[in-house]
Amino acid sequence: MTISTSTDSSALPASERTHPHSTAPYTVPQPTASSIASSTEASPWFRPTNQLYPLTSLGRNNTYTLQLLPHIDRGFFLADTDWTCYRRNYFSLSVRFTCMDADGKTVEMPCCVNVNGEYRTVTRWLVGVRARSSNAGRAVDIVQHTAKRDKGPQYPPSMKIIEASPPAIAADTFSVHYDRLQFKSATANNGKRRAAQQYHLLVVELYAQTGDGVLVCVAVSESAPLVVRGRAPGHY
């Protein structure tokens, strides 16, 4: 299987983003509540990275640890301890990650990913972002707008090839940026006292593309529970 070198890889069916020997769609394991990362005053927190498969050097003498560092740049505020935004408002997401050995040395490419005992050569990295509901895991649509603020095209956020950060930022990290993101639907039961508040979660996934073009999800990080309001502030 060959995957296009375009960053618009989100059009691939889910079956092409899993290991070819898988018998079921890939399911993201959930971190425990005790692993929740600390909140910051400026933006919603993200859970610590859940690395799904071991990574090694080509010679298999070094192992690497992945750390995803997502950050929501704008669009959210705290309301009654919940991170909140308005459905019509844009938000931005920056994603950095590190991949280092035990001595703190950055991964040398290509490297290997061990999928169920089979070592596969990793040629590059891609990042994807999606959303789900916090209770049933139902998929929640998010879209990315073009630079124009009018009723221009809207697309699901595409996968992006992740590149090394400029040395001025950090020589040992890789980064991508998503701008003008928007939830297509509000959360349920906003402001209702007799019904449980529902939440959306942003899910950031790191994919390793192997030499034969297969995308393997190797790490995931989820956001804090997010409230998305669909009405004017005066309603609340």
Side-chain angles (χ1 to χ4, degrees):
M1 182 194 324
T2 301
I3 292 177
S4 170
T5 57
S6 167
T7 58
D8 188 13
S9 303
S10 61
L12 291 170
S15 60
E16 295 187 15
R17 298 185 192 177
T18 59
H19 188 261
H21 297 166
S22 296
T23 58
Y26 164 71
T27 301
V28 177
Q30 297 302 305
T32 61
S34 61
S35 70
I36 294 176
S38 298
S39 172
T40 67
E41 294 181 358
S43 63
W45 46 258
F46 278 79
R47 292 178 184 270
T49 304
N50 186 13
Q51 182 169 334
L52 306 178
Y53 297 106
L55 293 167
T56 70
S57 59
L58 282 179
R60 303 181 193 175
N61 54 330
N62 277 340
T63 59
Y64 298 109
T65 299
L66 290 167
Q67 184 180 19
L68 278 166
L69 302 166
H71 177 73
I72 297 174
D73 295 323
R74 59 187 175 89
F76 284 84
F77 57 92
L78 276 174
D80 298 328
T81 72
D82 287 331
W83 285 104
T84 305
C85 74
Y86 290 96
R87 185 182 62 80
R88 293 182 178 274
N89 290 354
Y90 296 159
F91 64 93
S92 299
L93 176 70
S94 298
V95 182
R96 295 188 296 123
F97 88 94
T98 62
C99 185
M100 297 182 178
D101 65 16
D103 296 324
K105 295 181 180 178
T106 302
V107 61
E108 293 185 4
M109 297 294 288
C111 63
C112 287
V113 58
N114 182 347
V115 182
N116 302 326
E118 181 180 355
Y119 286 88
R120 304 176 68 87
T121 301
V122 177
T123 57
R124 67 177 181 181
W125 312 99
L126 296 94
V127 165
V129 58
R130 59 184 177 87
R132 70 173 184 86
S133 63
S134 61
N135 52 357
R138 174 182 56 83
V140 173
D141 290 336
I142 52 177
V143 294
Q144 186 169 25
H145 291 254
T146 60
K148 296 182 178 180
R149 292 188 64 90
D150 57 12
K151 294 184 180 296
Q154 302 174 17
Y155 307 98
S158 62
M159 279 191 179
K160 291 192 175 185
I161 299 169
I162 197 162
E163 305 288 356
S165 295
I169 299 176
D172 56 359
T173 63
F174 304 82
S175 64
V176 295
H177 184 77
Y178 289 92
D179 205 5
R180 299 179 299 279
L181 297 174
Q182 190 180 58
F183 285 100
K184 289 192 71 174
S185 61
T187 45
N189 301 333
N190 292 339
K192 294 182 179 179
R193 295 181 179 180
R194 296 185 179 181
Q197 173 67 60
Q198 301 298 301
Y199 299 93
H200 294 341
L201 300 177
L202 282 176
V203 183
V204 175
E205 294 169 320
L206 177 67
Y207 287 83
Q209 183 170 326
T210 64
D212 55 357
V214 173
L215 293 178
V216 180
C217 186
V218 292
V220 63
S221 179
E222 294 188 331
S223 74
L226 305 172
V227 172
V228 180
R229 294 177 177 177
R231 300 193 182 187
H235 178 76
Y236 302 92

